[in-house]
Amino acid sequence: GHWAPQSRARARTHPGSRLAPTPRHSRLGIDSVPRNPRPAVAHERGALDTHRTAAQKVTSISHQYTLKMGKRGFVDKHNASADAKPQKQVDIIGALGGYDNLLSQGAEGRVFGVKFCGRDTVVKQRFKKTYRHPTLDTKLTKSRLGMEARSMMRARKLGVVTPTLYYVDQQQSAIYMEKVPGKSLKELIRDDSMSEADMENIGAQVGRAVAKMHDGGLIHGDLTTGNILVRDANGQGGEGERTV
């Protein structure tokens, strides 16, 4: 029951007692016994050296494994052999006879007419720009080719009538798309083959198509009469209502 004064004094000095005074360092949230920083720094340096040595071993083993796998068919990117055979590129446009049927040529590429999977197809190929660095030209061409294909699909989802996309050939930087039976708006204006009613109708269709693209956050970037195709009503060049 009742503690003697000597017992309370001994309890205060005992480390495990509740009555033992709390050291100042413990109240501050740190250890009561200050540590010597020099052994800790030395220990950290030793740990860093150990990790660095282990990383070097892993890198060396990985590099040796890559070299071994390279003999089996894989390519060592760091020490690629000059005798490695480049990947064979297939000239699809030439095989389909596209070079003999050049439809038009602009500042960005050439347009060919071919038969692709039994369908009348238009091939738009972006050619290389010799005034640009080859690496930069390859990156820009690949980026713009993919952007054009994605823009066509996005415009179609927004309700804009676009040619059907058949195939994208990144090796030849070409897009295979449906051949629209008709003429460009530029050709129709030059031929003076449209009546007042036709021009009003086509103008309204162009306005609605542009509004759909802009409402969907899509900007054409080169909206000219040469890039607007007017499809014939029956696909054979006959009379009737033309659609954009």
Side-chain angles (χ1 to χ4, degrees), residues 75 80-87:
V75 179
S81 175
D83 299 333
K85 295 181 179 179
Q87 185 178 3

Side-chain angles (χ1 to χ4, degrees), residues 56-76:
Q56 291 175 354
K57 290 182 179 180
V58 171
T59 304
S60 177
I61 295 174
S62 176
H63 185 64
Q64 294 177 5
Y65 179 76
T66 304
L67 290 176
K68 292 180 180 179
M69 295 303 293
K71 297 178 181 179
R72 302 178 188 176
F74 293 87
V75 179
D76 180 23

Side-chain angles (χ1 to χ4, degrees), residues 15-30:
S17 174
R18 293 182 300 140
L19 301 177
T22 304
R24 177 174 177 271
H25 295 287
S26 298
R27 292 196 301 269
L28 295 177
I30 58 178

Side-chain angles (χ1 to χ4, degrees), residues 96 113-121:
L96 297 176
V114 299
K115 277 281 189 180
F116 184 74
C117 296
R119 301 178 179 180
D120 292 333
T121 306

Side-chain angles (χ1 to χ4, degrees), residues 45-220:
R45 289 177 180 174
L48 290 175
D49 293 339
T50 303
H51 291 308
R52 188 179 295 110
T53 304
Q56 291 175 354
K57 290 182 179 180
V58 171
T59 304
S60 177
I61 295 174
S62 176
H63 185 64
Q64 294 177 5
Y65 179 76
T66 304
L67 290 176
K68 292 180 180 179
M69 295 303 293
K71 297 178 181 179
R72 302 178 188 176
F74 293 87
V75 179
D76 180 23
K77 296 182 179 180
H78 300 286
N79 297 317
S81 175
D83 299 333
K85 295 181 179 179
Q87 185 178 3
K88 185 179 180 180
Q89 295 184 359
V90 181
D91 188 359
I92 303 178
I93 300 177
L96 297 176
Y99 299 130
D100 297 331
N101 189 16
L102 179 64
L103 301 180
S104 63
Q105 179 172 338
E108 294 294 330
R110 295 167 293 186
V111 179
F112 305 99
V114 299
K115 277 281 189 180
F116 184 74
C117 296
R119 301 178 179 180
D120 292 333
T121 306
V122 171
V123 182
K124 179 181 178 181
Q125 182 186 33
R126 291 179 176 269
F127 44 71
K128 296 180 180 180
K129 302 296 182 63
T130 56
Y131 60 85
R132 288 197 296 235
H133 190 276
T135 304
L136 178 61
D137 181 70
T138 301
K139 289 184 177 180
L140 289 177
T141 302
K142 184 177 180 180
S143 175
R144 291 174 180 176
L145 184 72
M147 186 182 302
E148 183 176 1
R150 288 192 297 269
S151 297
M152 289 178 61
M153 299 300 297
R154 187 177 174 186
R156 198 176 187 87
K157 291 181 179 180
L158 294 174
V160 180
V161 181
T162 62
T164 304
L165 186 64
Y166 292 151
Y167 178 63
V168 178
D169 186 1
Q170 293 190 354
Q171 289 186 350
Q172 291 191 285
S173 303
I175 295 180
Y176 292 70
M177 67 187 77
E178 170 195 5
K179 183 178 181 180
V180 178
K183 296 182 179 180
S184 66
L185 182 58
K186 181 178 181 179
E187 293 176 342
L188 293 177
I189 293 175
R190 285 182 174 179
D191 296 342
D192 195 16
S193 59
M194 294 188 300
S195 62
E196 292 289 337
D198 289 338
M199 288 189 287
E200 291 181 1
N201 184 23
I202 291 176
Q205 292 184 47
V206 171
R208 286 192 291 268
V210 173
K212 290 179 181 179
M213 289 192 297
H214 290 179
D215 289 342
L218 182 62
I219 307 300
H220 188 280

